[in-house]
Amino acid sequence: MKRCSVLLLLILFAALTQGGCSAAPENAEVVISAPPAVSLTPSASAAPDASPALMLTSKPTPAPTLVCSPVPTPTPVPTPTPGDRIALDGDFYGVALDGALKNRITGMSYPEDDSDAAIRYDDLRYVHILYVDFDGNAHEGELIVNKKVVNDILEIFRALYDAEYPLASVRLVDDYGESADDNLSMAANNTSAFNYRAVAGSKTLSMHSYGLAVDVNPLFNPYVKSDGSFSPVNAADYVDRTRNFPGKIDHDDLCYKLFVKHGWSWGGDWKSTKDYQHFSKTVD
């Protein structure tokens, strides 16, 4: 009987140890992990590089970026003597050129030797205006024009200011440091008027020489020749007039309508060469 008991114990021991020493403890719990849930809701960060252009919401056309800043610091504005002052109101007025203004422009927009010049200081007037830039900020502006068109200029630029029509800059070309050459002024998108110079590529005096022409936002409204060349040199983005952008002058533009209403002609209506910035007037 004892021998049978011992034999049974040996058989039981072998059965228990047959699984090996790494068998799980008797009370071990087996856990089966569920697969991660799949969300059917799109994540906001699922496409971080998605283009906003795919959105259906329309956006206003942004203002063009000015790529050329005015080069020199503008010269101080002198206080003109009363003279035959023409005033639309306190901020919009025209006056005869005083000594400081004459010194400021001589050798620059006005010839150093004016003995044979087609214009005299007394034919010109300094015009002070206000204007609104492309950021909606108001600034003082200045032009020199022929005395016969002072009223036109005051009324036109007052209407542009009241309508918050954007102008990038309105300064004398003399502030750009090149005698009778307004390339820097144009490249800086500066609206200007008087400049005693010939028409580009000719010996004929420009209407600017008589103070009877104004170039408005010239970077955005370039001078384009029939061969495709243009100025200013940085105006390539604005040669295509089928594009829409703030500051573009066309037949629907307020600036165009105001100048034409006052009897001025527009260079954008020229037959071959187009001068989209240019307005001029013939006077007696």
Side-chain angles (χ1 to χ4, degrees):
M1 191 69 165
K2 289 183 181 179
R3 184 177 299 176
C4 291
S5 299
V6 171
L7 182 58
L8 288 173
L9 289 173
L10 288 174
I11 293 171
L12 180 60
F13 177 79
L16 292 173
T17 57
Q18 189 173 6
C21 62
S22 59
E26 183 180 358
N27 296 325
E29 180 180 3
V30 178
V31 178
I32 301 176
S33 299
V38 178
S39 173
L40 298 179
T41 305
S43 169
S45 60
D49 57 347
S51 171
L54 298 177
M55 296 177 64
L56 297 179
T57 0
S58 60
K59 293 183 178 180
T61 304
T65 302
L66 182 60
V67 296
C68 179
S69 298
V71 176
T73 302
T75 52
V77 179
T79 304
T81 53
D84 53 347
R85 180 183 177 102
I86 299 174
L88 191 60
D89 59 37
D91 293 310
F92 290 79
Y93 60 85
V95 291
L97 276 60
D98 68 354
L101 272 168
K102 293 175 184 177
N103 290 335
R104 180 180 175 187
I105 67 175
T106 301
M108 300 300 291
S109 63
Y110 190 87
E112 188 79 47
D113 179 5
D114 67 346
S115 55
D116 294 324
I119 197 91
R120 294 286 184 266
Y121 293 117
D122 290 345
D123 298 317
L124 301 172
R125 293 293 181 270
Y126 173 87
V127 174
H128 180 277
I129 65 163
L130 298 179
Y131 70 94
V132 175
D133 67 17
F134 281 84
D135 294 322
N137 301 313
H139 302 271
E140 295 182 56
E142 54 182 354
L143 299 158
I144 289 179
V145 300
N146 193 291
K147 64 183 180 182
K148 294 181 179 180
V149 297
V150 171
N151 283 323
D152 285 354
I153 296 300
L154 290 175
E155 291 173 9
I156 289 169
F157 280 90
R158 179 58 198 248
L160 291 175
Y161 176 72
D162 289 343
E164 298 185 359
Y165 184 95
L167 299 170
S169 170
V170 186
R171 288 161 48 184
L172 305 187
V173 295
D174 310 87
D175 286 342
Y176 292 83
E178 290 191 5
S179 175
D181 185 345
D182 63 343
N183 285 321
L184 291 177
S185 175
M186 287 194 297
N189 212 14
N190 180 57
T191 296
S192 66
F194 174 72
N195 191 11
Y196 198 87
R197 60 176 177 82
V199 175
S202 77
K203 295 183 179 179
T204 304
L205 285 178
S206 164
M207 293 292 278
H208 289 279
S209 300
Y210 303 95
L212 296 173
V214 180
D215 289 341
V216 179
N217 285 334
L219 176 61
F220 300 159
N221 301 284
Y223 173 79
V224 184
K225 298 177 71 173
S226 56
D227 63 4
S229 59
F230 56 86
S231 59
V233 295
N234 56 332
D237 289 342
Y238 310 105
V239 172
D240 180 2
R241 306 311 286 180
T242 64
R243 294 182 55 213
N244 291 316
F245 50 84
K248 172 189 169 184
I249 298 173
D250 57 21
H251 288 133
D252 296 320
D253 179 64
L254 175 62
C255 186
Y256 166 84
K257 292 178 179 179
L258 289 170
F259 271 101
V260 170
K261 180 181 178 181
H262 284 80
W264 294 62
S265 61
W266 179 46
D269 286 328
W270 296 353
K271 295 300 181 183
S272 55
T273 295
K274 301 288 187 180
D275 200 353
Y276 296 106
Q277 62 196 258
H278 182 91
F279 294 94
S280 59
K281 186 175 187 178
T282 302
V283 297
D284 297 330

